[in-house]
Amino acid sequence: MPRPERLARLLVVEDDPMLLELIATKLWLAGYMVIQAKDGVDAVRKLADVRPSGVILDITMPNMDGFGVLEHMRRSTALRGIPTMVLTARRETEDVKRAMALGARDYLTKPFSDQQLLSRVARLVRKLSVKA
């Protein structure tokens, strides 16, 4: 598996605290710096403070869902280019199309394996470093 960008900062947005901690731990062990957000509103606040190298984003959340976060990022010139992977239980084709139309670069459904998560995140961050 490719090594992640050294100290790539990832914002993980997930409303299930146990799943958020699990994903954050797996990414941290793989060498990423991880910032956690518990919902879309928290994510928007943290996006303003920390410019992450990438975002891992759930769709179904309270206060502001993942589509709302994607719309916010799309409207912001500073945030528009941040590569985002949707990580959700929603499998409907319309949800995938909507997320991609709003700027998501990848879409992974739950449940997922550690290898799926890590390889997709590595690809997401590698695309960013190739463009730089």
Side-chain angles (χ1 to χ4, degrees):
M1 178 181 327
R3 298 233 354 115
E5 282 296 307
R6 185 176 172 90
L7 296 180
R9 288 182 316 274
L10 298 173
L11 176 61
V12 179
V13 189
E14 170 62 56
D15 65 317
D16 178 329
M18 289 177 56
L19 186 53
L20 176 60
E21 191 61 37
L22 177 73
I23 294 167
T25 299
K26 289 180 186 314
L27 293 171
W28 181 80
L29 288 171
Y32 295 99
M33 186 186 328
V34 179
I35 300 108
Q36 299 180 25
K38 64 185 183 328
D39 61 32
V41 173
D42 191 25
V44 166
R45 252 193 312 266
K46 289 183 176 164
L47 280 165
D49 294 337
V50 181
R51 177 127 170 113
S53 306
V55 177
I56 292 91
L57 178 65
D58 189 15
I59 292 294
T60 307
M61 298 181 292
N63 303 319
M64 177 188 289
D65 68 9
F67 294 126
V69 175
L70 286 168
E71 288 169 358
H72 172 79
M73 291 175 70
R74 186 177 189 189
R75 285 191 306 266
S76 167
T77 307
L79 303 176
R80 189 177 303 138
I82 299 172
T84 302
M85 179 177 76
V86 170
L87 180 61
T88 184
R90 294 172 69 150
R91 300 173 178 273
E92 291 77 23
T93 304
E94 290 307 311
D95 291 330
V96 177
K97 286 179 181 177
R98 182 175 178 198
M100 301 306 258
L102 289 171
R105 294 197 188 159
D106 200 356
Y107 196 102
L108 179 61
T109 56
K110 301 171 189 173
F112 54 89
S113 71
D114 292 354
Q115 176 154 1
Q116 283 176 309
L117 175 66
L118 295 176
S119 65
R120 302 283 273 281
V121 169
R123 184 174 65 194
L124 189 74
V125 174
R126 187 177 39 221
K127 283 182 179 177
L128 178 66
S129 65
V130 167
K131 288 183 177 181

